[in-house]
């Protein structure tokens, strides 16, 4: 397995262009099953999660071509309705296959995705929505089986205890676009990734009103056609690189990201007094001396502060003078990065859903373990601000969601090297 060797090397400097959004690309890849015609997708990031989704599409019978890096051509002439456990278990987002299979084949059999370290990943809201489309839903032997032979438009409220559901909204959208009648999705997710999915579906011929709002109206059509679509940039990759620049007091221009995708995040950084130049499609982090201001953050559904940037902010606030409180309202257990940051010198106490961070700490390099996609990024960011060497193990978590992470950061002057775990110092080698 690969590891990263990270060494503090002063401020990051330079320019970086943001890649395509993983969390837009995954449901959009699933949406290609909604038509027999070819769907050409561009700006798809080169990630293990993308390869998992493509593997499942091919298993279901779709013809897939990858004519150049970032471009995928999918033609789902004939597809089967069963998505097996051995494929689905690799990635939760494969739950997004339910919607297209229900819409296209009027039946589906999809293994229930497992949980993960950030918390239980229920799909009760997905199933509630599917039932509201007059579908029969049965759960047995770890599979969701759906009979949509009598499906028709309906009214579904998708709000749960943590707000709406992103992939749940994607599933009901994709299920309803070919379902006869009108479907009203109330408390729909408003994330940019859902807007991008809606824009793709409309290009395919779907009828969707109030795109971007929490109340979507879908009028079912009889069939959808192929199209070409370029996926939006990844706002979480952008936020991760902005935080990397801030934690090293660097000077970095992050290009190709609409600032509107990061409203709450940028607002918090301005409250922390991080100097930035913000233009329509780029954000430049400017150097600063001394410390930022501590901030209080609560993660919320979009347009609130994104949970996927919570771990990165824990690292940044650890070197910030004062007391910061970061409360996780989406995944209350999403603090696996905290014990690892503490090993590097952070002073963080967990009180229920909140991390209470006393700064500044002097980060020192240490051997740490990645646990989930965004926690891995937070540990590497802390490593950039540390004295000495940080060894980050299990970086396959990071490879799920960040394309060419070490290359992009090395181009900004970061000292980060991908090695094999056999290169670990003897005292770290798994006994
Ligand atoms: C999406 O996950 C993202 N993944 C996650 O990004 C992101 O953290 C999350 O949205 C929140 O923004 C993809 O888009 C592939 P949810 P999703 O359904 O759709 C509860 C990353 O790092 N809930 O919006 O699975 C759930 O427990 C990943 O890129 C129910 O109760 O998240 C959570 O508390 C991690 N019942 C909240 O809603 C349900 O049926 C939000 O979950 C569904 C969800």
């Amino acid at each position: 397995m690969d590891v990263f060797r990270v060494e503090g090397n002063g401020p990051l400097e330079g320019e970086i262009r943001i890649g395509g959004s993983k969390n837009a690309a995954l449901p959009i890849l699933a949406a290609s099953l909604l038509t027999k015609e070819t769907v050409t997708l561009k700006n798809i990031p080169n990630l293990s999660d993308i390869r998992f989704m493509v593997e499942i599409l091919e298993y279901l019978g779709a013809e897939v071509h990858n004519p150049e890096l970032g471009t995928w051509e999918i033609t789902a002439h004939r597809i089967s309705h069963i998505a097996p456990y051995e494929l689905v278990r690799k990635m939760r987002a494969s739950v997004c296959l339910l919607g297209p299979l229900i819409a296209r084949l009027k039946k589906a059999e999809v293994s229930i995705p497992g949980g993960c370290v950030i918390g239980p990943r229920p799909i009760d809201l997905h199933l509630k929505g599917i039932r509201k489309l007059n579908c029969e839903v049965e759960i047995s032997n770890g599979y969701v089986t759906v009979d949509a032979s009598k499906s028709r438009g309906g009214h579904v409220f998708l709000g749960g205890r943590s707000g709406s559901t992103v992939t749940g909204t994607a599933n009901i959208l994709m299920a309803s676009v070919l379902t006869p009648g009108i479907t009203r999705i109330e408390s729909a997710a408003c994330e940019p990734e859902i807007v991008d999915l809606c824009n793709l579906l409309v290009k395919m011929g779907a009828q969707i009103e109030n795109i971007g709002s929490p109340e979507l109206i879908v009028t079912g059509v009889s069939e959808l056609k192929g199209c070409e679509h370029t996926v939006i940039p990844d706002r979480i990759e952008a936020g991760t690189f902005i935080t990397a620049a801030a934690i090293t007091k660097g000077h970095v221009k992050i290009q190709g990201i609409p600032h509107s995708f990061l409203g709450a995040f940028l607002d918090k950084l301005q409250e922390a007094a991080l100097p930035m130049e913000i233009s329509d499609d780029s954000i430049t982090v400017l150097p600063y001396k001394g410390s930022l201001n501590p901030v209080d953050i609560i993660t919320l559904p979009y347009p609130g502060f994104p949970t996927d940037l919570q771990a990165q902010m824990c690292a940044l606030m650890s070197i910030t003078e004062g007391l910061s409180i970061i409360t996780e309202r989406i995944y209350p257990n999403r603090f696996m990065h905290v014990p690892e940051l503490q090993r590097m010198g952070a002073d963080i106490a967990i009180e229920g859903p909140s991390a209470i961070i006393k700064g500044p700490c002097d980060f020192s390099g240490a051997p740490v373990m990645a646990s989930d996609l965004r926690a891995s990024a937070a540990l590497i960011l802390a490593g950039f601000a540390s004295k000495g060497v940080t060894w980050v193990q299990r970086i396959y978590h990071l490879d799920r969601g960040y394309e060419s992470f070490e290359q992009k950061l090395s181009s900004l002057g970061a000292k980060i090297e991908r090695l094999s775990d056999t290169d670990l110092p003897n005292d770290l080698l798994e006994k």
Side-chain angles (χ1 to χ4, degrees), residues 92 95 112-116 118-128 139 144 160-162 164-168 171 330-332:
R92 166 179 167 77
V95 69
I112 298 175
C116 64
I118 67 176
R121 307 296 294 273
I123 60 168
D124 56 305
L125 295 171
H126 297 237
L127 303 183
K128 171 185 175 185
I139 292 185
V144 177
R161 68 189 176 297
S162 306
S164 187
T165 159
V166 177
T167 46
N171 251 334
I330 308 296
Y331 300 107

